[in-house]
Amino acid sequence: MPDGTGTARWVDAVFGVALFVTLAAPDFFGSGAVGWTTPAFSALTIVYVVLLNTRRGSAVLGQRARLRRGEISGRFALVARVVLFVIAASGVAFALFHPHLGVHVPYWRTAVGAALGGALILFGRRMQRALSSVATRERYAAGRTLSGRV
């Protein structure tokens, strides 16, 4: 993977803190906090995606280069989409069935937010590099090079 394909460290820190605040706010401010944390995190995510898709925005985020879509193996992209779908579906299912389970764990959102936000802050760059490496390695393992020639 070329050096500089990941975002700057401060981006991981901002999103780690935002993830923690988004998840922990309802534990400290009540369920009404969801009304402002969810739209705020969604807006931050949309701004991030828009910035990543422009040259100047990528420069602001510290990303000098990124993988071309053709360099990412189809198998990796399919597996990634399935995993993201399963995670999203399980989150929706948990949100729907959580009130009916009768289990109350105090400050569970804070614990999950601290774990996810901390992991992003501490291991964000490593995770980006590892995923990029796996995405392109599968292409090489299939007997193809990045130029499409064997």
Side-chain angles (χ1 to χ4, degrees):
M1 179 174 119
D3 194 22
T5 56
T7 56
R9 186 141 177 83
W10 67 267
V11 175
D12 294 335
V14 166
F15 269 93
V17 170
L19 192 60
F20 172 72
V21 168
T22 301
L23 289 171
D27 285 342
F28 295 101
F29 301 114
S31 60
V34 174
W36 61 267
T37 57
T38 302
F41 189 75
S42 299
L44 182 64
T45 303
I46 290 168
V47 167
Y48 175 71
V49 169
V50 169
L51 286 175
L52 273 182
N53 288 310
T54 63
R55 278 188 190 197
R56 288 186 183 171
S58 292
V60 167
L61 296 175
Q63 188 173 24
R64 295 184 302 270
R66 70 179 189 186
L67 295 174
R68 293 183 193 138
R69 292 187 194 270
E71 294 174 348
I72 300 172
S73 76
R75 180 175 169 228
F76 176 81
L78 177 66
V79 169
R81 285 184 182 119
V82 168
V83 167
L84 289 174
F85 177 77
V86 168
I87 290 170
S90 62
V92 169
F94 182 75
L96 291 174
F97 296 117
H98 173 68
H100 305 294
L101 294 176
V103 178
H104 178 68
V105 178
Y107 297 102
W108 69 270
R109 291 178 176 156
T110 302
V112 170
L116 292 176
L120 183 59
I121 291 169
L122 295 175
F123 306 113
R125 293 188 108 192
R126 282 191 204 146
M127 288 188 286
Q128 263 186 337
R129 287 185 180 141
L131 283 172
S132 295
S133 175
V134 169
T136 57
R137 189 177 325 135
E138 286 184 4
R139 191 136 186 87
Y140 285 120
R144 294 179 232 137
T145 62
L146 294 180
S147 65
R149 296 183 185 144
V150 178

